[in-house]
Amino acid sequence: MAPTGENGCVQEDEGLGWGKSLPVPSVQEIVRNDPQCVPERFIQEKKDRPLDSELYIPADSSEIPIINFSLIANGDEDELKKLDSACKDWGFFQLVNHGISEKVLQDMKAAVAAFFELPRDEKLKYAMAANDLQGYGQGFVVSELQKLDWCDLIMLITRPPNLRKMKLWPTTVPGFKDAVEKYSEGAQKVAEELLADLSLLMGMDRDGLKKLHGEMKQAMRMNYYPTCSRPDLVLGISPHSDGGTITLLLQGDDEITALQIKNKDRWVPIKPIPNALVVNVGDAAEVFSNGVYRSIEHRALANTSRPRMSVATAMLPNDEAEIGPVESMVNDDRPRVYRNVKYVDFLRHVFENKMEGKAHTDFVKIKS
């Protein structure tokens, strides 16, 4: 294995070519050493902090649409209309009856939890390389001055299999590889069906979006949010939109509402539904749809009660694929909003900048 430097960052390796993230201290280790400690770099500017009212969400509050996957997979017209509206009006929905078994979901959660329970030195064996984004560490750290998120992560490319960097897949966690492979396979089937449905809604053949992706990639970001003594000062993940086409999120704790999305200038909590997936439109889908389907800002809050984990599985076009509005989504009433760009150039823009709202789609907008 390549040598490690300060903070466990592997010094040399062949990276993805998308960018890098600077090594920073592990939040989990900070809390282990002193549960009351909140270092200055994690304290958000006042304008960015969650309001007290946003930290204590009523347990029954949840407004985003719920889509029945089994119905849309069978071509139910009413459910397809609901999917269309959800992607236009919300950019987010909860997906039920998706066909991934409860055992696969629970095994995936257990594998992630087991990894983060490993001793620090063991986790550092899987640290991100200095020029890469795969592995254990933190993401989107591009400056020594920026505020940091209250979150540790391990990010892996899970599909296609030939792009997996197996030395970053923890071997000391029993069943980790099997759990990730089975969940990855299930998530891919769900994502491909959703992309086929969106293709039809966008006036294309079922395989329209899939063809535009080239050899589609799947990236899995496994997040760990330690408890925080002052959740009013920090953010688990800063507000951002996702750079892929769609993302499937597995929430690790059905009792904690931490994910929030921005809708009509207010933060709306997404209360977990047991065994459901949260699906969101990514920047690439917004570009393909010429802005009809919208990627939405979202963030995650910290909490005082117990650690939390989640698994975000993103579907990405091939690096060499070109993203731009499809012909069926451009007309006199809806002129072209975005230019065509090579997807790897868009990704490099995403990863060389701090996560900050909807800034990434501005990169591909046609300037008036």
Side-chain angles (χ1 to χ4, degrees), residues 114-147:
F115 171 75
F116 284 103
E117 288 170 3
L118 293 173
R120 176 178 180 272
D121 289 347
E122 188 64 32
K123 290 197 289 284
L124 287 177
K125 293 178 181 178
Y126 309 101
M128 291 179 183
N131 63 335
D132 201 4
L133 295 161
Q134 287 196 80
Y136 166 67
Q138 289 194 2
F140 295 93
V141 183
V142 298
S143 164
E144 299 289 352
L145 302 176
Q146 79 181 66
K147 295 296 184 180

Side-chain angles (χ1 to χ4, degrees), residues 21-27 30 38-45 138-151 233-238 354-355:
S21 184
L22 300 176
V24 294
S26 160
V27 185
I30 290 170
V38 181
E40 181 65 30
R41 279 197 74 185
F42 294 88
I43 297 176
Q44 298 289 323
E45 303 294 342
Q138 289 194 2
F140 295 93
V141 183
V142 298
S143 164
E144 299 289 352
L145 302 176
Q146 79 181 66
K147 295 296 184 180
L148 301 176
D149 292 337
W150 198 257
C151 174
L233 300 180
V234 306
L235 288 171
I237 290 185
S238 300
K354 179 183 182 292
M355 286 195 295

Side-chain angles (χ1 to χ4, degrees), residues 17 21 33 70 76 83 127 193 199 206-208 241 262 278 302 308 315 326 333 345:
S21 184
N33 292 329
S70 64
D76 185 280
L83 174 65
E193 175 60 39
S199 295
R206 276 182 63 85
D207 61 356
S241 61
K262 201 164 195 178
V278 178
R308 190 179 70 87
M315 307 300 155
V326 301
D333 295 326
D345 294 332

